Structure formats: C-alpha cells, structure tokens
Amino acid sequence: PKTAVLSAEAVGNPTLRDQRIAAIRTGGRMAWQVSSGYNQRSRGETQMGRWKMVIGPKLKARSFPNQKTEARIGTYILNKMTELGRAKFEVVA
C-alpha cells in the first residue's frame, strides 16, 4: 500500500519487502512493476481467472490425449476472446 513502512532492520538487513518498498519510493510504482515483471504475472493471473470462469476449474476428459485436446480447444477459445477484446490500431500515413 501507499502507506507502507520499512521494518526496523531495513538499514542493516533489509527484507525483500523492504527492498521493494525502497524501489517503489526511488523509481515509482510503475517503474517497479516493469522491472519486477509484475505486469506479466498480473496478466497471467487474469487469464487463468478467465479460464476457470469460461472453461471450468478442471478438465473433464479422462484420458491424457483427450485432456490435451480439451486444453488446446480451451486455449484457442481464450485466445480468440482476448483477440476480440483487444483494441486495433491503424497507422495513418
């Protein structure tokens, strides 16, 4: 949170949390998100949430080859949904 406070040992032995708070204070939250890969992780979590909402929390097929097919179909569906929701940009010459 914005009001995060460094721990008492931050000067001599900073924890990972202290390091992240310091990075946010020096470079800003957006720079920290880019440098830490936070945005990619967030996108992955969002996509998995979509998978569970649309496809379901578990595979329905019993055999492994059928599970692979089911996963491929689910991936195709989610990629198509993502593509349809993405803005299209045109280069004006």
Side-chain angles (χ1 to χ4, degrees), residues 69-90:
T69 302
E70 184 180 350
R72 283 189 187 128
I73 292 169
T75 303
Y76 176 81
I77 291 169
L78 286 179
N79 286 339
K80 186 57 82 172
M81 287 175 54
T82 303
E83 179 186 332
L84 292 172
R86 189 176 296 133
K88 292 187 175 35
F89 297 98
E90 294 181 18

Side-chain angles (χ1 to χ4, degrees), residues 12-56:
N13 186 19
T15 63
L16 187 58
R17 180 177 184 272
D18 292 331
Q19 293 170 5
R20 289 178 177 164
I21 292 171
I24 291 170
R25 287 185 182 169
T26 57
R29 185 170 301 277
M30 295 306 292
W32 169 77
Q33 286 182 358
V34 170
S35 68
S36 69
Y38 178 84
N39 295 334
Q40 290 292 345
R41 185 172 56 247
S42 177
R43 285 190 194 119
E45 290 173 2
T46 301
Q47 197 70 330
M48 285 307 298
R50 287 185 189 133
W51 177 281
K52 289 180 179 179
M53 289 295 293
V54 175
I55 309 300

